Amino acid sequence: MKSTGESNCDTAHPSRIRVLHVDDEPEFADRTAAALERERDAFDTITATTARDGLELLEETRIDCIVSEYDMPEMDGLAFLERVQCGDEATPFILFTGSGSEALASEAITAGVTDYFQKGDGASQYPVLANRIVNAVETTRTRRQRNHQLRAIETAQEGISLLDADGTFSYMNRSYADCFGYEPSALIGEHWDVLYTNEEAATVHEEVLPTVMDEGYWRGETVGLRADGTQIIVDHTLSTTDHGELICTVRDVTDRKDRERDLERYETIIEALGDPVYTVDSDGRCAFVNDAYAEMTGYTKAELIGKPVSFLLDESSAGRGTDVVRELLSSETTATQQTYEITVVTKDGTRIQCEDNVSLLPLEDGQYRGVAGVVRNITERKDRERELEQYETILRTIPDEVYMLDADGYVTNVVPPTGSELTTTGYRPAELRGEHVSVILSDDDIARGEVEIRRLLKRDDREKASFEMTPITRDGDRVPNENHIALLPTDDGTFRGTVGVLRDITDRKERERELKRQNERLESFASIVSHDLRNPLNVAQGQLELAREEHDESRLRTVSKAHERMQRLIDDILRIAREDDPVTETEPIDLAAFARSCWQHVETEDATLNAETDAVVQADRSRFERLVENLIRNAVEHSSTSHSVADTPEDAVENSVTGLESQSHSGVVQGNERDGVTLTVGSLPGRAGFYVEDDGPGIPPEDRDAVFETGYSTTTDGTGFGLSIVERIADAHGWTVTVVNGDSGGARFEFRDVEVRR
């Protein structure tokens, strides 16, 4: 365990980030610590191998972020999180674990982790982890700073209040209520006009509020009404928020001495509010900047005060600033405030796009004294605007139709497919905007869409849904479409509507119908083949029984074996025709026990089964049974004495009757005489799947692709369908099957993409 020995009361440079990494694998913990410190010079990383050691370090050392494994002895990561939260809920906690799953991620987020990140392979994971640590720490530091600002506002002597869009008080500090002689609770929820006479309230309505709504800011003196009925003159400022609220500050200026004290409080509030604020004197030099302004530019206050403000701006921004001041000083306008965009160039050369809300300082004897400004970083807003333009360009170039509906099902926008002025239903976009979706959809399709929307609203883990529907064109035709929908971002949890992408699937539907017809023909073919083969087979078997009473038994054995092979051909043809349907229902199957059960159903002669695995496979039981039995049968047949050469007259008769010698692959004998093949069933490493392996003669590399072909066989009594059925069953499950050399040189069939657990 690595420790710096710093106590909890120690202080560090605010740009440093101290990380506590808890992982029960010391080598991994040390490797991660080293990687993080390589990624960020600002990182100081401490490691612990148990959660208890981590808790001790938290008592001794200031920690900015905790990174913890989940699967640890004695106390897992979430239990560790709970203990940490008892002492400090604000410290970021990132669950960096190798035991990843959707269920664990959901449980971790519910428990209150700051972030959840699954361990990966190699060094590529550490830059991502480093970024997440930095983001978490910066977010926490910002939240703490805002809390400090709020506490400063609460303790400030300046009166500050927040009014809803309808003019009712939603917040005020003690100073605001005291200014008018009320308790804060008595004014929360009340309209602001309770603090004014009717005459003064009318002035505010007619002059002040319109200015605030138009320009976003107003400042002046108003005459208020105290709770005891006396009047009070206040220096009053109003500004708007992005949500249409009003920020109101008041200062009691009835007594001139109060003005001086209020000025100090106002400066304190400016520092605490967090927005960059500055003043420029009449010569265009910085006269005042708050901490937020200095932090934004990267300069110290001392480096800024007295410098021309133009050195922080690019050339065009400096010119716009000069023009704004001239407009405010012009006799043609009565405005004292204006907002415009500027580009601030920081000390390290970074260009920040900002919105500058500038106001004239009060004139002194009619002389210009300078301006004050509040700067807001709008880089993210500009980036979002550019991103929106990119998305709009993408929408205009994709080949599918995009639409948007409001919460009541009315069309708000339609973007036709690329190159078309008409929508897929034959209307122009303007003809559909404002119309209810029932213009182009049947009641059944509307009901289907409403079901999918309700599902999306109920489930946080689903972001989109897809379903098929048949919109009705202007001409009354029905065109099959695939509709991909997603919910529009909610407004305070309120459903606002949907956005969707329509894709014409007429061609796909025709292909599906053709495939269905082909499958029906294949099923019919299989039934006909089985019927045509079974009838003569039944007759031949009856005649064979009669012949056995009069002829040499050894000569008829070949005919009997040919009949058996015909029966197997019929069964395999039927399976080939029916194994292509995808698997829809599965169940957990103990691989070892299942293999031993299948072994009992196959004639294995003196072969041996080795099934010592604890894997549980999710599969369709009946199809999986055919897959395993075919692999067992294949191993036994191809590992016994080769049937590619006729050793006896009976074998020669059998070959001449059935024509099986043509199916022997190039006449190659796939093994020497041998007995006692061993078949092994086991798990692939890392739960990647399972395998079935024999110690027989194996399959040459040049033949491995061909073994899954229908009708391929290297033995005289094989049907050539067994491994083809194996591949089709694997495909129906979504698995992949390959053939490689086994550990003993035999054939090894590996199945991957299988849901395996232990």
Side-chain angles (χ1 to χ4, degrees):
M1 182 173 64
K2 173 185 173 184
S3 173
T4 64
E6 182 177 288
S7 69
N8 199 33
C9 61
D10 290 340
T11 59
H13 193 278
S15 64
R16 305 296 299 174
I17 296 177
R18 178 159 297 165
V19 180
L20 171 60
H21 183 207
V22 182
D23 198 298
D24 61 338
E25 295 183 16
E27 293 182 1
F28 179 83
D30 292 339
R31 187 166 62 252
T32 300
L36 289 176
E37 293 183 352
R38 285 195 301 271
E39 288 296 326
R40 292 285 196 283
D41 292 336
F43 282 169
D44 292 327
T45 307
I46 306 171
T47 62
T49 56
T50 68
R52 296 191 183 279
D53 290 342
L55 291 172
E56 292 179 4
L57 282 172
L58 287 172
E59 294 178 355
E60 303 169 356
T61 308
R62 176 192 59 80
I63 297 297
D64 295 308
C65 184
I66 301 170
V67 178
S68 175
E69 167 62 58
Y70 168 76
D71 190 8
M72 295 186 295
E74 298 184 7
M75 186 187 306
D76 64 27
L78 295 185
F80 178 35
L81 170 64
E82 184 177 1
R83 292 285 299 276
V84 170
Q85 290 176 332
C86 291
D88 182 7
E89 294 183 353
T91 301
F93 191 105
I94 298 176
L95 201 62
F96 181 45
T97 176
S99 304
S101 69
E102 291 185 0
L104 177 58
S106 176
E107 183 181 1
I109 292 172
T110 302
V113 297
T114 307
D115 206 346
Y116 173 90
F117 185 38
Q118 189 170 351
K119 293 178 180 177
D121 295 327
S124 61
Q125 61 186 329
Y126 296 114
V128 178
L129 179 59
N131 285 336
R132 295 193 180 193
I133 292 172
V134 170
N135 291 339
V137 171
E138 289 180 349
T139 299
T140 300
R141 288 176 175 176
T142 300
R143 186 182 300 114
R144 286 172 174 165
Q145 182 182 10
R146 289 177 179 172
N147 290 337
H148 293 160
Q149 294 170 351
L150 181 60
R151 286 194 292 272
I153 292 174
E154 286 293 337
T155 58
Q157 296 182 20
E158 189 78 12
I160 302 174
S161 67
L162 183 66
L163 294 93
D164 293 333
D166 60 0
T168 60
F169 289 107
S170 60
Y171 167 80
M172 67 179 60
N173 65 357
R174 167 62 67 175
S175 296
Y176 189 95
D178 288 346
C179 184
F180 294 95
Y182 289 90
E183 285 293 323
S185 59
L187 289 176
I188 298 298
E190 293 289 338
H191 196 272
W192 59 265
D193 58 11
V194 302
L195 301 179
Y196 294 92
T197 64
N198 293 338
E199 181 180 356
E200 188 72 4
T203 302
V204 174
H205 273 295
E206 296 169 2
E207 300 179 10
V208 177
L209 291 181
T211 301
V212 176
M213 294 301 103
D214 290 341
E215 301 177 6
Y217 181 83
W218 177 88
R219 180 178 178 181
E221 292 184 355
T222 58
V223 179
L225 195 63
R226 294 176 58 86
D228 60 5
T230 60
Q231 292 187 346
I232 179 174
I233 301 175
V234 295
D235 188 341
H236 201 160
T237 62
L238 287 172
S239 60
T240 60
T241 70
D242 293 339
H243 300 290
E245 300 169 316
L246 289 176
I247 299 175
C248 174
T249 62
V250 295
R251 289 182 301 155
D252 183 358
V253 295
T254 306
D255 188 337
R256 297 299 302 176
K257 291 184 179 180
D258 289 341
R259 288 180 179 269
E260 297 174 0
R261 290 193 294 269
D262 289 343
L263 178 61
E264 295 176 357
R265 299 187 192 112
Y266 192 72
E267 291 174 349
T268 302
I269 292 173
I270 289 176
E271 291 292 351
L273 286 176
D275 287 331
V277 178
Y278 71 92
T279 62
V280 174
D281 62 21
S282 58
D283 295 325
R285 297 180 180 276
C286 292
F288 166 81
V289 295
N290 66 352
D291 290 338
Y293 193 93
E295 183 179 353
M296 178 188 71
T297 61
Y299 293 94
T300 65
K301 288 183 177 182
E303 291 174 319
L304 292 172
I305 301 301
K307 294 286 183 66
V309 71
S310 58
F311 94 99
L312 291 171
L313 307 175
D314 63 7
E315 185 175 350
S316 61
S317 297
R320 283 196 299 273
T322 300
D323 292 340
V324 167
V325 172
R326 287 174 179 168
E327 290 176 12
L328 293 175
L329 291 172
S330 171
S331 59
E332 298 178 0
T333 179
T334 59
T336 59
Q337 186 272 343
Q338 190 168 328
T339 300
Y340 68 106
E341 292 185 4
I342 59 174
T343 299
V344 175
V345 183
T346 67
K347 189 174 185 178
D348 62 5
T350 302
R351 298 168 67 86
I352 304 176
Q353 288 189 285
C354 297
E355 188 176 72
D356 191 2
N357 300 279
V358 63
S359 299
L360 290 177
L361 293 173
L363 301 180
E364 186 172 347
D365 297 329
Q367 298 298 313
Y368 169 63
R369 296 176 52 235
V371 295
V374 179
V375 178
R376 179 171 297 164
N377 188 336
I378 60 171
T379 302
E380 291 185 2
R381 189 181 79 188
K382 287 294 185 180
D383 290 342
R384 287 196 298 271
E385 292 174 355
R386 285 190 289 269
E387 186 177 2
L388 180 59
E389 292 175 353
Q390 293 174 358
Y391 284 139
E392 291 174 345
T393 302
I394 292 172
L395 288 178
R396 290 192 295 268
T397 57
I398 63 175
D400 300 317
E401 182 170 303
V402 180
Y403 71 89
M404 188 181 299
L405 303 179
D406 65 16
D408 296 321
Y410 286 86
V411 180
T412 58
N413 198 10
V414 183
V415 180
T418 303
S420 177
E421 295 181 356
L422 298 178
T423 66
T424 55
T425 54
Y427 294 91
R428 294 185 180 276
E431 294 176 309
L432 289 179
R433 293 190 190 103
E435 293 291 337
H436 192 266
V437 72
S438 57
V439 172
I440 58 173
L441 291 183
S442 66
D443 291 343
D444 289 341
D445 282 339
I446 293 174
R448 189 176 300 111
E450 289 174 347
V451 169
E452 295 297 335
I453 291 172
R454 285 194 292 269
R455 289 175 178 171
L456 291 175
L457 289 170
K458 289 180 180 178
R459 295 182 56 180
D460 293 335
D461 59 337
R462 287 189 63 193
E463 297 180 351
K464 58 185 178 181
S466 300
F467 60 95
E468 293 182 4
M469 63 183 193
T470 53
I472 305 169
T473 68
R474 179 194 285 271
D475 298 329
D477 297 328
R478 290 179 177 269
V479 181
N481 274 261
E482 188 173 65
N483 190 12
H484 302 268
I485 67 170
L487 301 180
L488 290 171
T490 59
D491 187 3
D492 296 330
T494 302
F495 172 58
R496 296 176 52 237
T498 59
V499 62
V501 178
L502 289 178
R503 176 166 297 173
D504 189 335
I505 57 173
T506 302
D507 293 339
R508 190 178 79 188
K509 282 297 183 180
E510 180 58 33
R511 289 194 298 271
E512 290 175 357
R513 287 191 290 270
E514 178 61 26
L515 180 60
K516 182 178 180 181
R517 289 192 292 268
Q518 291 176 357
N519 288 338
E520 290 173 352
R521 288 195 296 269
L522 181 59
E523 180 71 22
S524 176
F525 164 75
S527 298
I528 292 171
V529 170
S530 65
H531 180 269
D532 289 348
L533 283 176
R534 286 187 192 278
N535 286 342
L537 177 61
N538 292 335
V539 174
Q541 287 175 336
Q543 293 298 317
L544 178 61
E545 292 299 323
L546 295 175
R548 280 195 177 120
E549 299 176 0
E550 302 174 1
H551 295 80
D552 185 357
E553 186 73 24
S554 63
R555 285 297 182 180
L556 299 177
R557 185 181 303 112
T558 299
V559 179
S560 177
K561 293 177 67 176
H563 289 168
E564 293 173 359
R565 186 172 182 277
M566 291 174 68
Q567 182 67 50
R568 288 177 58 189
L569 276 169
I570 293 170
D571 294 340
D572 285 349
I573 288 173
L574 288 174
R575 290 193 179 112
I576 286 291
R578 296 165 180 163
E579 288 295 358
D580 283 338
D581 292 338
V583 171
T584 57
E585 295 185 3
T586 62
E587 61 181 285
I589 298 175
D590 186 319
L591 181 58
F594 192 80
R596 287 191 286 271
S597 174
C598 293
W599 186 265
Q600 303 300 320
H601 301 158
V602 181
E603 292 183 10
T604 55
E605 301 177 356
D606 55 353
T608 304
L609 173 67
N610 178 19
E612 299 298 334
T613 175
D614 60 350
V616 176
V617 177
Q618 198 75 19
D620 180 289
R621 179 171 292 273
S622 62
R623 293 197 189 186
F624 194 41
E625 183 178 46
R626 290 196 291 275
L627 181 147
V628 175
E629 289 180 3
N630 278 8
L631 289 175
I632 295 172
R633 188 177 293 109
N634 179 76
V636 172
E637 289 177 354
H638 290 78
S639 300
S640 60
T641 302
S642 172
H643 296 285
S644 298
V645 179
D647 296 323
T648 66
E650 289 79 8
D651 294 330
V653 172
E654 179 182 354
N655 290 345
S656 65
V657 171
T658 62
L660 296 179
E661 64 271 23
S662 64
Q663 295 186 22
S664 177
H665 184 65
S666 302
V668 177
V669 178
Q670 293 297 316
N672 299 320
E673 291 190 5
R674 54 162 292 156
D675 294 309
V677 63
T678 297
L679 192 75
T680 302
V681 179
S683 304
L684 294 176
R687 291 182 288 185
F690 67 93
Y691 67 87
V692 178
E693 176 183 335
D694 63 63
D695 60 354
I699 300 174
E702 63 271 16
D703 293 341
R704 290 173 185 167
D705 291 335
V707 297
F708 295 111
E709 295 177 1
T710 301
Y712 179 89
S713 177
T714 60
T715 67
T716 58
D717 58 351
T719 67
F721 293 112
L723 292 181
S724 177
I725 292 173
V726 167
E727 185 182 51
R728 287 171 183 255
I729 294 174
D731 288 344
H733 281 83
W735 306 341
T736 57
V737 54
T738 55
V739 186
V740 297
N741 275 342
D743 295 337
S744 301
R748 176 183 173 111
F749 294 84
E750 294 186 345
F751 296 83
R752 299 183 182 273
D753 301 324
V754 183
E755 186 177 347
V756 177
R757 54 188 176 85
R758 295 181 174 85

